[in-house]
Amino acid sequence: EVQLVESGGGLVTPGGSLRLSCAASGFTFSTTMSWVRQAPGKGLEWVSSISGRSTYIYYADSVKGRFTISRDNAKSSLYLQMNRLRVEDTAVYYCAREGSGEFFDYWGQGTLVTVSS
Amino acid sequence: DIQLTQSPSTLSASVRDRVTITCRASQNINSWLAWYQQRPGKAPNLLIYKASSLESGVPSRFSGSGSGTEFTLTISSLQPDDFATYYCQQYISYPWTFGHGTKVDIK
């Protein structure tokens, strides 16, 4: 059974940093992985994607230069380092797998990041 | 960036109703479109990919159609579990983008 479990969310002040993790199990961790976020009461926003060998990395303009996606295939883990956080980064952050195509076939349960003074 | 416009934003319907949601893309995306269902407090769940392919395990009352810039998600007979928010997503080019969602609630 495919499982994605996020951790690392919490309350942080504007300008601060946070590192999210996603532990994957139940499949060969060699597929492209992504982070998608959802602000409270709002829709879904793609944040970043990383290919299986970390060769290709993409970011939304809203986070480029502040967030860094990475992965450790030996640990079947995905990460999102978030620096210079802003109030508007407040959201539930989901880890998602891109399966046979560039759509998201499995999602984690999400971790809440709150940026507030 | 490719914009996706969903309509309606809210839809009130009854159990056993036939429901159709539309997603329009700002440029040609061929068939590179997916649909997701999200229940309150839960992660999204993939329903349809490549515009019309039903994801394994998804009930057959869900169907998708369209290509180019116009797409539809149809629920042939609405069930109590289907009251949720639905999103379309394009994956022809980065940045991946989602529609703003269509909330299906009880009439």
Side-chain angles (χ1 to χ4, degrees):
Chain A
E1 179 195 4
V2 172
Q3 282 200 318
L4 300 170
V5 180
E6 302 94 336
S7 60
L11 175 63
V12 61
T13 54
S17 298
L18 214 52
R19 190 193 194 208
L20 305 183
S21 299
C22 171
S25 60
F27 67 101
T28 303
F29 191 68
S30 58
T31 63
T32 296
M33 298 293 296
S34 298
W35 291 97
V36 177
R37 69 184 180 182
Q38 187 170 36
K42 302 296 183 183
L44 301 169
E45 180 189 16
W46 169 79
V47 173
S48 181
S49 296
I50 184 169
S51 63
R53 295 185 179 184
S54 305
T55 306
Y56 302 102
I57 290 176
Y58 303 92
Y59 296 100
D61 284 346
S62 57
V63 307
K64 201 173 294 182
R66 299 188 299 122
F67 290 11
T68 302
I69 192 172
S70 62
R71 64 192 296 159
D72 184 336
N73 288 349
K75 295 182 178 178
S76 294
S77 293
L78 176 72
Y79 306 102
L80 187 67
Q81 177 67 43
M82 304 186 294
N83 298 332
R84 292 186 282 143
L85 281 160
R86 304 168 179 168
V87 170
E88 55 265 34
D89 294 320
T90 295
V92 173
Y93 285 73
Y94 295 102
C95 162
R97 186 184 89 161
E98 293 185 22
S100 55
E102 288 83 8
F103 47 86
F104 306 114
D105 60 354
Y106 287 95
W107 299 65
Q109 85 288 351
T111 188
L112 177 62
V113 172
T114 303
V115 185
S116 174
S117 53
Chain B
D1 298 1
I2 297 172
Q3 312 301 320
L4 297 179
T5 303
Q6 280 184 242
S7 60
S9 54
T10 305
L11 189 160
S12 295
S14 301
V15 172
R16 291 183 296 278
D17 279 355
R18 181 182 181 87
V19 164
T20 298
I21 298 168
T22 298
C23 178
R24 289 188 175 88
S26 60
Q27 62 191 76
N28 182 8
I29 60 171
N30 296 318
S31 295
W32 304 116
L33 187 97
W35 289 96
Y36 303 88
Q37 176 194 66
Q38 186 178 34
R39 298 188 178 100
K42 301 295 186 183
N45 181 50
L46 176 67
L47 300 174
I48 301 283
Y49 61 94
K50 210 173 179 186
S52 60
S53 296
L54 190 68
E55 173 69 350
S56 176
V58 173
S60 59
R61 63 181 180 273
F62 292 93
S63 64
S65 65
S67 66
T69 61
E70 293 261 343
F71 303 86
T72 58
L73 173 70
T74 299
I75 309 172
S76 59
S77 177
L78 200 65
Q79 298 302 301
D81 264 357
D82 302 338
F83 291 97
T85 300
Y86 295 84
Y87 295 93
C88 56
Q89 177 232 338
Q90 66 80 19
Y91 53 98
I92 192 171
S93 64
Y94 284 104
W96 303 151
T97 50
F98 292 88
H100 289 105
T102 295
K103 183 177 180 180
V104 177
D105 62 21
I106 302 172
K107 184 186 287 185

